[in-house]
Amino acid sequence: KLHKQNLEIAQQKKEMDEKALLLQKQAEELAELNALKNKLFSIISHDMRAPLYALKNLFTTAQQYNMPAKQLKEMLPNIVNDLNYATGLMENLLHWSKNQMQSNKVNPQKLDLCEMIHNTVQLLNLQSQAKKIYIDKKTDMPTYAWGDRDMINTVLRNLLSNAIKFTPEGGSITIGVQQYDSVVEAYVKDTGRGIAKEDIIKIFQKNYFSTQGTAREQGTGLGLMLCKEFLEKNGGRMMIQSEPGIGSTFSFTLPQIQFKNG
C-alpha cells in the first residue's frame, strides 16, 4: 500500500512539474510577445504620425491659402506615397492583431498561385507605374499549392510592395512560381538596392527597424514578420537572397497539391 502511495505521489509530482514547465514556457512566450508588441507599436506610432501630419498640413495649407491646382498636382506623388504607406501599415497591423488573437486558426485550401500573383500585380499596378517599374510575370500555367488564401495574399502583397518600394525608378521586378517534387516556390526578384547580410539576420531574428524606400517610402518590417509567421503556419518558409547594389530575391515555399490518378 505504501509503495502504491509513493508511486501515486511520484506521478502527481511529475504532472505538477510538467504543468510548471508549461506555465513557465507560456509566461516566457507572453513576455516575448508583449515586448514585441511594445516595440512594434513604438515604431508604428512614430512612422504613422509623419505621413498623417504631412497630409493634414498639406490640406490645411491648401484650404487656408487657396493653393493653385498646379502646385497641388506637383505634390500628388508624395501624397500617394504617404497614403500607400499608411494604408499598407494599417492592413499589416490588422492582420498581425488578428493573427495574435487567433494564433492557431488556419484555413488551408487549394490555391492557384499564378492567379493570385496576377491579382496582386493588378492591385499594386498604380504603385509600380508611379515609379515606372516594369513587372515581368512568369505565370503561364496554373500552379496549385495548399494554404490559407488570406494569409498567402498578405505574403504576396507584402513581398511585391517591398520590391516596388526598394527598386529605383525605371527598374524591373520578376515574379513567378516554380514546381518541385513536393513544394511550390514563388519568388519576387528585383533590381533594387539590395540588403546587407546583417539586416537579413535582423529580419529572421525579429529585430525590426524602420527603413526608407528609394522614393522615401517608409517601412517598419512588420510586413516581413507577417510573411514569415504566415508561411510557417502554412507549412512553408521564406528565403532571402540579396546583394547590395544588385538586387534581392524573396521567395517562399508552400506544400504542393498531389493529384491522384483516376
Side-chain angles (χ1 to χ4, degrees):
K1 186 177 179 180
L2 181 62
H3 178 66
K4 184 179 179 181
Q5 289 177 340
N6 287 335
L7 289 176
E8 289 176 352
I9 292 171
Q11 181 62 29
Q12 290 173 354
K13 184 178 182 301
K14 181 181 177 183
E15 291 175 357
M16 290 177 64
D17 288 342
E18 289 174 352
K19 289 179 180 178
L21 285 173
L22 180 61
L23 286 172
Q24 182 181 353
K25 183 181 178 182
Q26 290 174 339
E28 290 172 355
E29 290 175 351
L30 185 60
E32 182 182 347
L33 181 60
N34 192 53
L36 176 60
K37 179 206 68 176
N38 291 337
K39 185 173 183 178
L40 283 174
F41 277 97
S42 174
I43 294 171
I44 289 165
S45 63
H46 174 270
D47 288 357
M48 197 71 156
R49 190 182 296 118
L52 290 179
Y53 272 111
L55 290 172
K56 178 185 175 183
N57 292 337
L58 171 65
F59 290 124
T60 300
T61 303
Q63 182 183 31
Q64 291 180 348
Y65 300 101
N66 195 23
M67 183 183 292
K70 182 180 179 182
Q71 186 178 352
L72 188 60
K73 188 175 181 180
E74 290 173 353
M75 302 178 74
L76 281 179
N78 289 332
I79 296 173
V80 171
N81 279 341
D82 286 341
L83 286 174
N84 284 336
Y85 168 71
T87 54
L89 180 56
M90 283 191 297
E91 286 181 12
N92 281 335
L93 183 57
L94 289 171
H95 279 297
W96 181 77
S97 301
K98 180 181 176 182
N99 183 50
Q100 297 307 318
M101 290 186 290
Q102 301 175 344
S103 57
N104 294 317
K105 190 172 182 181
V106 180
N107 297 309
Q109 56 187 287
K110 177 182 175 182
L111 305 176
D112 182 354
L113 286 181
C114 292
E115 179 186 7
M116 294 176 70
I117 286 172
H118 174 77
N119 293 337
T120 304
V121 171
Q122 291 295 108
L123 179 67
L124 300 175
N125 186 47
L126 288 178
Q127 281 183 241
S128 60
Q129 284 186 350
K131 295 180 73 172
K132 299 180 177 62
I133 292 174
Y134 172 69
I135 299 180
D136 182 19
K137 292 185 295 180
K138 303 290 187 182
T139 53
D140 298 328
M141 299 292 292
T143 305
Y144 298 103
W146 192 250
D148 183 294
R149 182 173 296 278
D150 289 338
M151 290 184 176
I152 305 308
N153 267 327
T154 299
V155 171
L156 286 170
R157 178 176 56 79
N158 272 289
L159 294 186
L160 184 56
S161 180
N162 271 354
I164 294 171
K165 184 187 302 180
F166 294 106
T167 298
E169 187 171 315
S172 63
I173 295 171
T174 303
I175 181 169
V177 291
Q178 301 177 103
Q179 296 188 68
Y180 297 98
D181 290 339
S182 59
V183 298
V184 176
E185 180 179 301
Y187 61 90
V188 180
K189 183 178 181 180
D190 64 57
T191 58
R193 64 190 187 195
I195 309 171
K197 289 183 178 179
E198 55 268 26
D199 288 338
I200 293 177
I201 293 172
K202 288 179 182 179
I203 290 171
F204 284 105
Q205 290 180 341
K206 293 187 178 181
N207 293 328
Y208 302 104
F209 49 94
S210 294
T211 53
Q212 279 197 337
T214 56
R216 296 186 296 110
E217 307 100 321
Q218 291 293 326
T220 62
L222 178 58
L224 290 178
M225 179 188 73
L226 279 174
C227 292
K228 186 173 181 295
E229 287 187 4
F230 284 178
L231 289 168
E232 288 174 355
K233 288 188 174 185
N234 283 273
R237 66 188 185 99
M238 184 173 71
M239 295 82 72
I240 305 174
Q241 292 180 320
S242 187
E243 188 173 344
I246 302 296
S248 304
T249 300
F250 283 77
S251 56
F252 66 87
T253 60
L254 284 174
Q256 184 177 157
I257 291 180
Q258 301 294 330
F259 295 101
K260 296 181 179 179
N261 294 328

